[in-house]
Amino acid sequence: MTDSFDVLVIGGGPGGYVAAIRAAQLGLKTALVERDRLGGICLNWGCIPTKALLHGADVAHTLANAHEVGFTVGAVEFDLSKLVQFSRSVSARLSNGVEYLMRKNAITVIAGNAKLADKGVVDISTETGMQRHHADDVIVATGARPRTVPGLAPDGDRVWTYFDALQPATLPRSLVVVGSGAIGVEFASLYRDLGTEVTLVEMAPQIMPAEDAAVSEFVRRRFEKRGIGVHTNSRVTSATITDTGVDLIIDTPRGPENATVERVLVAAGIQGNIEDLGLEDIGVEVSGGSIVTDEWCRTTAFGTYAIGDVAGGPCLAHKASHEAVLCVEHIAGVAHTRPLDTNMVPACTYARPQVASLGMTEEQARATGRRLQVGTFDLQASGKALAIAEADGFVKTIFDADSGALLGAHMVGPDVTELIQGFGITASLEATVDDLAEVMFAHPTLSEAMHESVLAALGRPLNS
């Protein structure tokens, strides 16, 4: 079987399926190849199911603290299998929704494994045999998978990846999480709220290494207050699987420490799915486990593009979707298409407390030599945060003192993942600190903390 397309997309995750939809909207004959379920890792095994489980953790936290607002809660029964089932049902519903969008936009979906046979030529291995298709432009959106750690090979039983942590048969009594990026921190928070004893192990000097130091330190203190053990500048040097768990030796700044736990979750980052795609055969450059691209997502092979996690960080679903649109619009010659500023991609961590940020940390901003205006507002002074009994957190903003440009925004506290888009709009519209100071924020809202942080940067806070 041979067919020709204007655009052929390899991978049906949040980058791939969005690229296919936008291409079809622009009148391009489009095909999408996916070897598993539409929606990719994010929808099936990442962003969405973890948030469903974290919703369960939030319910557990609310029940445990209901007495603070006058409610007496009797005996509470918890069925882990029902929570997992809820999580999987959400993913299945959304995956089916992507299938509907493919039909709605008349996109040809091919189930199989794709390989670039030549520029513009894709071979697809399907259940019924090999297919060869031609395309004017090919977009590689194959995503990424969990990174392995030497000596901690996942076995699906005692040593987990996040795939395993999303569908546990039983709730472990104890868990060591290796790695404290967004994945590690979210699972540490989730399992602790469900009653597991959790220890977090991080090689870097701070947990959440990509975040502002003040945010990292705040989250660490809150985690330790919740009973989560935190080891930074540390690594697991030995892991022995037994009948009942895993015996670990953790190298810490205080010296080696022994730990025995039921499960270990390896959350030490991800690596791009670049294997068996024929990239080298057609001249696509790969570096550091990712495909090299320019500002329009073009690879070093003419007519071949790459988007999302396979093209390097930040490895976030919304970054992949944004790249999908700009890539396709560039292919189609849409006017006013702008390259992505990767420095202003919002990052969100849905732990308790939530964390959201974009732009530079204060340390990074100071390293540029700019004069800065930095403002911080503590949620203890927020009427809305106090009213909902969630006043643990702060908002920090960093501006260029000469131009007024927003350089970075860092938030920790309730629903900050819903608020960060306000600073994203600011950056996109190139609004200044003075512009933001003139914006009227509704009262009482959590978003007022954003305004107060801006005013603090100008040296004129009103409520702190």
Side-chain angles (χ1 to χ4, degrees):
M1 177 180 177
T2 302
D3 206 347
S4 295
F5 298 92
D6 297 317
V7 173
L8 187 147
V9 183
I10 303 174
Y17 84 75
V18 169
I21 291 171
R22 187 65 185 121
Q25 288 174 343
L26 291 170
L28 302 174
K29 184 180 179 183
T30 306
L32 183 146
V33 184
E34 172 55 52
R35 66 185 180 187
D36 195 1
R37 290 182 60 83
L38 290 171
I41 292 296
C42 174
L43 193 154
N44 292 289
W45 296 104
C47 322
I48 302 303
T50 56
K51 304 312 164 285
L53 293 181
L54 283 161
H55 172 63
D58 286 340
V59 171
H61 173 65
T62 299
L63 290 172
N65 293 276
H67 63 280
E68 294 181 1
V69 288
F71 288 87
T72 300
V73 178
V76 175
E77 296 183 359
F78 170 56
D79 188 332
L80 178 64
S81 65
K82 286 187 177 180
L83 178 57
V84 172
Q85 182 182 4
F86 168 70
S87 170
R88 301 315 308 156
S89 68
V90 171
S91 292
R93 181 176 179 180
L94 288 172
S95 183
N96 291 336
V98 176
E99 291 182 12
Y100 163 74
L101 291 173
M102 296 298 100
R103 294 192 300 270
K104 175 185 175 182
N105 289 280
I107 296 164
T108 300
V109 177
I110 306 168
N113 289 285
K115 185 172 183 178
L116 295 159
D118 202 343
K119 293 179 182 178
V121 181
V122 181
D123 287 340
I124 305 169
S125 174
T126 73
E127 289 185 354
T128 58
M130 185 67 68
Q131 300 179 12
R132 170 162 287 189
H133 297 286
H134 298 266
D136 293 338
D137 295 289
V138 176
I139 301 174
V140 179
T142 49
R145 63 187 183 278
R147 188 182 301 279
T148 58
V149 174
L152 279 173
D155 61 5
D157 181 19
R158 295 298 174 183
V159 181
W160 286 351
T161 66
Y162 58 77
F163 293 97
D164 307 304
L166 281 169
Q167 46 184 355
T170 59
L171 188 68
R173 289 190 299 272
S174 55
L175 174 72
V176 161
V177 180
V178 179
S180 69
I183 295 173
V185 164
E186 286 182 359
F187 276 111
S189 181
L190 162 67
Y191 274 94
R192 182 60 190 142
D193 271 339
L194 295 181
T196 299
E197 294 181 7
V198 177
T199 301
L200 199 55
V201 179
E202 171 57 54
M203 291 177 58
Q206 66 178 50
I207 63 169
M208 310 187 78
E211 298 294 343
D212 189 88
V215 169
S216 169
E217 181 58 28
F218 184 93
V219 174
R220 177 175 186 150
R221 291 197 303 268
R222 294 309 178 275
F223 270 25
E224 289 175 336
K225 185 177 179 180
R226 292 171 56 192
I228 298 174
V230 179
H231 296 293
T232 50
N233 287 311
S234 303
R235 69 180 67 203
V236 174
T237 57
S238 174
T240 303
I241 296 176
T242 69
D243 292 338
T244 57
V246 187
D247 294 333
L248 301 173
I249 298 177
I250 304 171
D251 185 14
T252 77
R254 299 174 299 279
E257 294 188 10
N258 296 316
T260 298
V261 293
E262 278 196 19
R263 300 286 188 275
V264 175
L265 168 59
V266 179
I270 59 177
Q271 59 192 62
N273 293 321
I274 58 173
E275 298 83 8
D276 302 320
L277 290 171
L279 300 174
E280 299 83 358
D281 297 337
I282 66 167
V284 173
E285 182 181 353
V286 175
S287 178
S290 301
I291 296 175
V292 177
T293 60
D294 68 5
E295 70 273 23
W296 301 112
C297 305
R298 293 178 294 199
T299 72
T300 50
F302 181 78
T304 305
Y305 298 75
I307 61 175
D309 294 357
V310 74
C315 295
L316 299 165
H318 46 276
K319 177 255 194 182
S321 297
H322 191 95
E323 284 183 326
V325 173
L326 77 86
C327 174
V328 170
E329 291 187 348
H330 175 74
I331 289 172
V334 175
H336 309 303
T337 302
R338 293 191 296 175
L340 171 66
D341 181 358
T342 56
N343 292 321
M344 284 296 175
V345 175
C348 295
T349 302
Y350 299 81
R352 185 167 63 81
Q354 289 187 12
V355 173
S357 62
L358 61 78
M360 289 185 275
T361 66
E362 183 175 353
E363 182 180 23
Q364 291 168 338
R366 293 199 181 282
T368 68
R370 292 179 172 94
R371 291 195 312 116
L372 304 180
Q373 291 175 303
V374 180
T376 301
F377 181 74
D378 194 316
L379 292 183
Q380 294 290 339
S382 163
K384 179 61 180 293
L386 289 168
I388 63 172
E390 293 284 351
D392 234 8
F394 63 89
V395 178
K396 179 179 182 179
T397 45
I398 306 163
F399 297 92
D400 185 306
D402 296 318
S403 68
L406 177 67
L407 301 178
H410 307 274
M411 314 170 73
V412 56
D415 293 330
V416 294
T417 55
E418 300 289 344
L419 300 177
I420 192 65
Q421 54 82 24
F423 287 127
I425 294 171
T426 297
S428 179
L429 298 180
E430 299 181 350
T432 67
V433 61
D434 292 316
D435 294 327
L436 282 174
E438 296 301 317
V439 174
M440 184 185 300
F441 285 71
H443 175 79
T445 62
L446 294 172
S447 66
E448 286 178 288
M450 301 164 67
H451 192 222
E452 289 287 349
S453 176
V454 171
L455 295 175
L458 290 169
R460 49 188 178 97
L462 297 176
N463 288 287
S464 64

Short mmCIF file of all heavy atoms in Angstrom, two decimals, residues 306-361:
data_model
loop_
_atom_site.label_atom_id
_atom_site.label_comp_id
_atom_site.label_asym_id
_atom_site.label_seq_id
_atom_site.Cartn_x
_atom_site.Cartn_y
_atom_site.Cartn_z
N ALA A 306 10.89 18.09 13.81
CA ALA A 306 10.74 17.37 15.08
C ALA A 306 10.18 18.32 16.13
O ALA A 306 10.59 19.49 16.21
CB ALA A 306 12.07 16.79 15.55
N ILE A 307 9.23 17.83 16.91
CA ILE A 307 8.58 18.65 17.93
C ILE A 307 8.44 17.86 19.23
O ILE A 307 8.49 16.63 19.24
CB ILE A 307 7.18 19.12 17.48
CG1 ILE A 307 6.27 17.91 17.20
CG2 ILE A 307 7.29 20.02 16.24
CD1 ILE A 307 4.82 18.30 16.87
N GLY A 308 8.26 18.58 20.33
CA GLY A 308 7.99 17.93 21.61
C GLY A 308 9.23 17.37 22.27
O GLY A 308 10.36 17.80 22.01
N ASP A 309 9.02 16.39 23.14
CA ASP A 309 10.10 15.85 23.97
C ASP A 309 11.25 15.29 23.16
O ASP A 309 12.41 15.36 23.58
CB ASP A 309 9.55 14.75 24.89
CG ASP A 309 8.58 15.28 25.93
OD1 ASP A 309 8.37 16.51 25.98
OD2 ASP A 309 8.01 14.46 26.67
N VAL A 310 10.97 14.71 21.99
CA VAL A 310 12.03 14.10 21.19
C VAL A 310 12.99 15.16 20.66
O VAL A 310 14.12 14.86 20.29
CB VAL A 310 11.44 13.27 20.03
CG1 VAL A 310 10.89 14.17 18.92
CG2 VAL A 310 12.47 12.29 19.47
N ALA A 311 12.54 16.42 20.65
CA ALA A 311 13.38 17.53 20.19
C ALA A 311 14.02 18.29 21.35
O ALA A 311 14.56 19.37 21.16
CB ALA A 311 12.56 18.48 19.33
N GLY A 312 13.98 17.73 22.54
CA GLY A 312 14.63 18.35 23.69
C GLY A 312 13.71 19.17 24.55
O GLY A 312 12.55 19.41 24.21
N GLY A 313 14.25 19.62 25.68
CA GLY A 313 13.46 20.31 26.68
C GLY A 313 13.11 21.73 26.32
O GLY A 313 13.61 22.27 25.34
N PRO A 314 12.25 22.34 27.16
CA PRO A 314 11.58 21.70 28.30
C PRO A 314 10.57 20.65 27.85
O PRO A 314 9.82 20.88 26.90
CB PRO A 314 10.89 22.86 29.02
CG PRO A 314 10.74 23.93 27.98
CD PRO A 314 11.88 23.77 27.04
N CYS A 315 10.61 19.50 28.50
CA CYS A 315 9.76 18.37 28.10
C CYS A 315 8.40 18.48 28.76
O CYS A 315 8.14 17.89 29.82
CB CYS A 315 10.46 17.05 28.46
SG CYS A 315 11.99 16.78 27.53
N LEU A 316 7.53 19.24 28.12
CA LEU A 316 6.21 19.53 28.65
C LEU A 316 5.19 19.42 27.52
O LEU A 316 5.46 19.82 26.39
CB LEU A 316 6.16 20.94 29.24
CG LEU A 316 7.13 21.18 30.41
CD1 LEU A 316 7.28 22.67 30.68
CD2 LEU A 316 6.64 20.46 31.66
N ALA A 317 4.01 18.92 27.85
CA ALA A 317 3.00 18.68 26.82
C ALA A 317 2.59 19.97 26.13
O ALA A 317 2.41 20.01 24.90
CB ALA A 317 1.77 18.02 27.46
N HIS A 318 2.43 21.06 26.88
CA HIS A 318 1.99 22.30 26.26
C HIS A 318 3.06 22.89 25.35
O HIS A 318 2.75 23.56 24.37
CB HIS A 318 1.53 23.32 27.31
CG HIS A 318 2.44 23.47 28.48
ND1 HIS A 318 2.39 22.64 29.57
CD2 HIS A 318 3.42 24.36 28.75
CE1 HIS A 318 3.28 23.02 30.46
NE2 HIS A 318 3.94 24.05 29.98
N LYS A 319 4.32 22.63 25.66
CA LYS A 319 5.39 23.06 24.76
C LYS A 319 5.31 22.28 23.46
O LYS A 319 5.47 22.83 22.36
CB LYS A 319 6.74 22.88 25.44
CG LYS A 319 7.95 23.22 24.58
CD LYS A 319 8.65 21.95 24.12
CE LYS A 319 10.03 22.21 23.56
NZ LYS A 319 10.69 20.97 23.07
N ALA A 320 5.03 20.98 23.55
CA ALA A 320 4.90 20.15 22.35
C ALA A 320 3.74 20.63 21.48
O ALA A 320 3.87 20.74 20.26
CB ALA A 320 4.71 18.69 22.74
N SER A 321 2.61 20.92 22.10
CA SER A 321 1.44 21.39 21.34
C SER A 321 1.70 22.74 20.69
O SER A 321 1.29 22.99 19.56
CB SER A 321 0.22 21.48 22.26
OG SER A 321 -0.13 20.21 22.77
N HIS A 322 2.38 23.62 21.41
CA HIS A 322 2.70 24.93 20.85
C HIS A 322 3.64 24.79 19.66
O HIS A 322 3.45 25.43 18.62
CB HIS A 322 3.33 25.81 21.94
CG HIS A 322 3.46 27.25 21.54
ND1 HIS A 322 2.53 28.19 21.86
CD2 HIS A 322 4.43 27.89 20.83
CE1 HIS A 322 2.90 29.37 21.38
NE2 HIS A 322 4.06 29.21 20.75
N GLU A 323 4.66 23.95 19.81
CA GLU A 323 5.57 23.70 18.70
C GLU A 323 4.83 23.09 17.51
O GLU A 323 5.15 23.39 16.36
CB GLU A 323 6.69 22.76 19.13
CG GLU A 323 7.77 23.42 19.98
CD GLU A 323 8.89 22.47 20.33
OE1 GLU A 323 8.63 21.26 20.50
OE2 GLU A 323 10.04 22.94 20.44
N ALA A 324 3.85 22.23 17.79
CA ALA A 324 3.09 21.60 16.72
C ALA A 324 2.42 22.65 15.84
O ALA A 324 2.49 22.59 14.60
CB ALA A 324 2.03 20.67 17.32
N VAL A 325 1.79 23.63 16.47
CA VAL A 325 1.08 24.65 15.71
C VAL A 325 2.04 25.54 14.93
O VAL A 325 1.85 25.79 13.74
CB VAL A 325 0.20 25.50 16.66
CG1 VAL A 325 -0.41 26.69 15.92
CG2 VAL A 325 -0.90 24.63 17.27
N LEU A 326 3.11 26.01 15.60
CA LEU A 326 4.02 26.91 14.89
C LEU A 326 4.75 26.19 13.77
O LEU A 326 5.02 26.77 12.71
CB LEU A 326 4.99 27.59 15.86
CG LEU A 326 6.18 26.80 16.41
CD1 LEU A 326 7.39 26.86 15.49
CD2 LEU A 326 6.58 27.35 17.78
N CYS A 327 5.07 24.91 13.98
CA CYS A 327 5.74 24.11 12.96
C CYS A 327 4.86 23.97 11.72
O CYS A 327 5.30 24.23 10.59
CB CYS A 327 6.09 22.74 13.53
SG CYS A 327 6.77 21.56 12.33
N VAL A 328 3.62 23.57 11.92
CA VAL A 328 2.70 23.38 10.79
C VAL A 328 2.40 24.70 10.10
O VAL A 328 2.34 24.77 8.87
CB VAL A 328 1.41 22.69 11.28
CG1 VAL A 328 0.35 22.71 10.19
CG2 VAL A 328 1.70 21.25 11.70
N GLU A 329 2.21 25.74 10.88
CA GLU A 329 1.92 27.04 10.27
C GLU A 329 3.12 27.55 9.47
O GLU A 329 2.95 28.21 8.43
CB GLU A 329 1.50 28.04 11.34
CG GLU A 329 0.14 27.70 11.95
CD GLU A 329 -0.39 28.77 12.88
OE1 GLU A 329 0.41 29.68 13.25
OE2 GLU A 329 -1.56 28.69 13.25
N HIS A 330 4.31 27.25 9.92
CA HIS A 330 5.51 27.60 9.14
C HIS A 330 5.54 26.81 7.84
O HIS A 330 5.83 27.38 6.77
CB HIS A 330 6.77 27.32 9.95
CG HIS A 330 8.04 27.55 9.20
ND1 HIS A 330 8.51 28.82 8.90
CD2 HIS A 330 8.92 26.69 8.64
CE1 HIS A 330 9.64 28.72 8.21
NE2 HIS A 330 9.90 27.44 8.04
N ILE A 331 5.22 25.53 7.91
CA ILE A 331 5.16 24.70 6.70
C ILE A 331 4.15 25.27 5.72
O ILE A 331 4.41 25.35 4.51
CB ILE A 331 4.80 23.25 7.07
CG1 ILE A 331 5.97 22.57 7.79
CG2 ILE A 331 4.42 22.44 5.82
CD1 ILE A 331 5.63 21.20 8.36
N ALA A 332 3.00 25.70 6.23
CA ALA A 332 1.92 26.19 5.38
C ALA A 332 2.11 27.64 4.96
O ALA A 332 1.32 28.15 4.14
CB ALA A 332 0.59 26.02 6.10
N GLY A 333 3.10 28.32 5.52
CA GLY A 333 3.34 29.70 5.15
C GLY A 333 2.37 30.68 5.76
O GLY A 333 2.09 31.74 5.17
N VAL A 334 1.85 30.35 6.94
CA VAL A 334 0.93 31.26 7.62
C VAL A 334 1.67 32.51 8.07
O VAL A 334 2.74 32.41 8.70
CB VAL A 334 0.27 30.56 8.82
CG1 VAL A 334 -0.59 31.53 9.60
CG2 VAL A 334 -0.56 29.37 8.36
N ALA A 335 1.12 33.66 7.78
CA ALA A 335 1.76 34.91 8.16
C ALA A 335 1.73 35.12 9.66
O ALA A 335 0.84 34.63 10.36
CB ALA A 335 1.07 36.09 7.45
N HIS A 336 2.71 35.84 10.16
CA HIS A 336 2.80 36.26 11.56
C HIS A 336 3.07 35.10 12.53
O HIS A 336 2.88 35.25 13.74
CB HIS A 336 1.53 37.00 12.00
CG HIS A 336 1.12 38.11 11.09
ND1 HIS A 336 1.95 39.17 10.79
CD2 HIS A 336 -0.03 38.33 10.39
CE1 HIS A 336 1.34 39.99 9.96
NE2 HIS A 336 0.14 39.50 9.68
N THR A 337 3.48 33.95 12.01
CA THR A 337 3.88 32.85 12.90
C THR A 337 5.17 33.24 13.61
O THR A 337 6.11 33.75 12.98
CB THR A 337 4.08 31.55 12.11
OG1 THR A 337 2.87 31.23 11.44
CG2 THR A 337 4.46 30.40 13.03
N ARG A 338 5.23 33.00 14.91
CA ARG A 338 6.41 33.38 15.69
C ARG A 338 7.09 32.15 16.27
O ARG A 338 6.41 31.22 16.73
CB ARG A 338 6.02 34.31 16.85
CG ARG A 338 5.51 35.67 16.40
CD ARG A 338 5.41 36.60 17.60
NE ARG A 338 4.43 36.14 18.57
CZ ARG A 338 4.21 36.73 19.75
NH1 ARG A 338 4.92 37.78 20.10
NH2 ARG A 338 3.29 36.27 20.57
N PRO A 339 8.42 32.16 16.30
CA PRO A 339 9.13 31.05 16.96
C PRO A 339 8.82 31.03 18.46
O PRO A 339 8.40 32.04 19.04
CB PRO A 339 10.62 31.38 16.72
CG PRO A 339 10.63 32.36 15.60
CD PRO A 339 9.35 33.13 15.70
N LEU A 340 9.04 29.90 19.06
CA LEU A 340 8.79 29.74 20.50
C LEU A 340 9.97 30.27 21.31
O LEU A 340 11.12 29.95 21.02
CB LEU A 340 8.56 28.26 20.82
CG LEU A 340 8.49 27.88 22.30
CD1 LEU A 340 7.26 28.49 22.95
CD2 LEU A 340 8.50 26.37 22.47
N ASP A 341 9.68 31.05 22.31
CA ASP A 341 10.70 31.47 23.29
C ASP A 341 10.70 30.43 24.40
O ASP A 341 9.85 30.45 25.29
CB ASP A 341 10.37 32.85 23.84
CG ASP A 341 11.40 33.34 24.85
OD1 ASP A 341 12.35 32.59 25.15
OD2 ASP A 341 11.24 34.48 25.35
N THR A 342 11.65 29.50 24.33
CA THR A 342 11.67 28.40 25.30
C THR A 342 11.94 28.88 26.72
O THR A 342 11.68 28.16 27.68
CB THR A 342 12.72 27.35 24.91
OG1 THR A 342 14.00 27.98 24.78
CG2 THR A 342 12.36 26.67 23.60
N ASN A 343 12.46 30.11 26.87
CA ASN A 343 12.68 30.64 28.21
C ASN A 343 11.37 31.03 28.89
O ASN A 343 11.35 31.26 30.10
CB ASN A 343 13.59 31.87 28.14
CG ASN A 343 15.00 31.52 27.73
OD1 ASN A 343 15.54 30.50 28.15
ND2 ASN A 343 15.60 32.37 26.90
N MET A 344 10.30 31.14 28.11
CA MET A 344 9.03 31.56 28.69
C MET A 344 7.96 30.46 28.61
O MET A 344 6.77 30.76 28.52
CB MET A 344 8.54 32.83 27.99
CG MET A 344 9.30 34.08 28.44
SD MET A 344 9.01 34.42 30.20
CE MET A 344 10.13 35.82 30.46
N VAL A 345 8.39 29.22 28.64
CA VAL A 345 7.46 28.10 28.69
C VAL A 345 7.08 27.88 30.16
O VAL A 345 7.95 27.64 31.00
CB VAL A 345 8.07 26.82 28.11
CG1 VAL A 345 7.12 25.64 28.29
CG2 VAL A 345 8.42 27.02 26.65
N PRO A 346 5.80 27.96 30.51
CA PRO A 346 5.42 27.77 31.91
C PRO A 346 5.65 26.32 32.36
O PRO A 346 5.41 25.38 31.60
CB PRO A 346 3.93 28.12 31.93
CG PRO A 346 3.47 27.93 30.53
CD PRO A 346 4.64 28.27 29.65
N ALA A 347 6.11 26.18 33.58
CA ALA A 347 6.31 24.85 34.18
C ALA A 347 5.41 24.73 35.40
O ALA A 347 5.35 25.65 36.22
CB ALA A 347 7.77 24.66 34.58
N CYS A 348 4.72 23.61 35.51
CA CYS A 348 3.77 23.41 36.61
C CYS A 348 4.02 22.07 37.30
O CYS A 348 4.23 21.06 36.62
CB CYS A 348 2.34 23.44 36.10
SG CYS A 348 1.83 25.03 35.42
N THR A 349 4.00 22.09 38.61
CA THR A 349 4.11 20.87 39.41
C THR A 349 2.89 20.80 40.32
O THR A 349 2.63 21.74 41.09
CB THR A 349 5.40 20.86 40.24
OG1 THR A 349 6.52 21.00 39.37
CG2 THR A 349 5.53 19.56 41.02
N TYR A 350 2.15 19.68 40.24
CA TYR A 350 0.83 19.60 40.88
C TYR A 350 0.90 18.86 42.21
O TYR A 350 -0.01 18.11 42.56
CB TYR A 350 -0.15 18.93 39.93
CG TYR A 350 -0.33 19.70 38.64
CD1 TYR A 350 0.60 19.58 37.60
CD2 TYR A 350 -1.41 20.55 38.47
CE1 TYR A 350 0.44 20.30 36.43
CE2 TYR A 350 -1.58 21.27 37.29
CZ TYR A 350 -0.64 21.15 36.28
OH TYR A 350 -0.78 21.86 35.12
N ALA A 351 1.96 19.09 42.95
CA ALA A 351 2.09 18.50 44.28
C ALA A 351 1.32 19.36 45.28
O ALA A 351 0.61 20.29 44.91
CB ALA A 351 3.57 18.42 44.65
N ARG A 352 1.46 19.03 46.54
CA ARG A 352 0.94 19.89 47.60
C ARG A 352 2.12 20.38 48.41
O ARG A 352 2.73 19.58 49.12
CB ARG A 352 -0.06 19.12 48.48
CG ARG A 352 -0.73 20.00 49.52
CD ARG A 352 -1.91 19.31 50.17
NE ARG A 352 -1.52 18.11 50.91
CZ ARG A 352 -1.02 18.15 52.16
NH1 ARG A 352 -0.85 19.29 52.77
NH2 ARG A 352 -0.70 17.04 52.77
N PRO A 353 2.54 21.64 48.28
CA PRO A 353 1.90 22.72 47.55
C PRO A 353 2.20 22.67 46.05
O PRO A 353 3.20 22.08 45.62
CB PRO A 353 2.52 23.98 48.16
CG PRO A 353 3.90 23.54 48.52
CD PRO A 353 3.75 22.12 49.00
N GLN A 354 1.32 23.30 45.26
CA GLN A 354 1.57 23.42 43.83
C GLN A 354 2.69 24.43 43.58
O GLN A 354 2.92 25.36 44.37
CB GLN A 354 0.31 23.89 43.10
CG GLN A 354 -0.80 22.88 43.03
CD GLN A 354 -1.95 23.35 42.15
OE1 GLN A 354 -1.84 24.34 41.43
NE2 GLN A 354 -3.06 22.64 42.21
N VAL A 355 3.37 24.22 42.43
CA VAL A 355 4.44 25.13 42.01
C VAL A 355 4.22 25.48 40.55
O VAL A 355 3.88 24.60 39.74
CB VAL A 355 5.83 24.49 42.20
CG1 VAL A 355 6.92 25.37 41.59
CG2 VAL A 355 6.11 24.22 43.67
N ALA A 356 4.40 26.75 40.20
CA ALA A 356 4.31 27.17 38.81
C ALA A 356 5.33 28.27 38.56
O ALA A 356 5.57 29.11 39.43
CB ALA A 356 2.90 27.68 38.48
N SER A 357 5.94 28.24 37.39
CA SER A 357 6.98 29.23 37.10
C SER A 357 7.14 29.40 35.61
O SER A 357 6.74 28.55 34.80
CB SER A 357 8.32 28.80 37.72
OG SER A 357 8.76 27.57 37.14
N LEU A 358 7.75 30.53 35.24
CA LEU A 358 8.22 30.72 33.87
C LEU A 358 9.37 31.72 33.91
O LEU A 358 9.50 32.51 34.85
CB LEU A 358 7.10 31.17 32.93
CG LEU A 358 6.35 32.47 33.15
CD1 LEU A 358 7.16 33.69 32.71
CD2 LEU A 358 5.05 32.46 32.38
N GLY A 359 10.20 31.66 32.88
CA GLY A 359 11.33 32.58 32.80
C GLY A 359 12.49 32.19 33.70
O GLY A 359 12.62 31.06 34.15
N MET A 360 13.32 33.17 33.98
CA MET A 360 14.55 32.94 34.73
C MET A 360 14.32 32.92 36.24
O MET A 360 13.43 33.61 36.75
CB MET A 360 15.58 34.04 34.41
CG MET A 360 16.16 33.95 33.02
SD MET A 360 17.48 35.16 32.73
CE MET A 360 16.49 36.57 32.25
N THR A 361 15.13 32.13 36.93
CA THR A 361 15.19 32.21 38.38
C THR A 361 15.93 33.50 38.74
O THR A 361 16.58 34.13 37.90
CB THR A 361 15.92 31.01 38.99
OG1 THR A 361 17.30 31.06 38.57
CG2 THR A 361 15.30 29.70 38.53
#
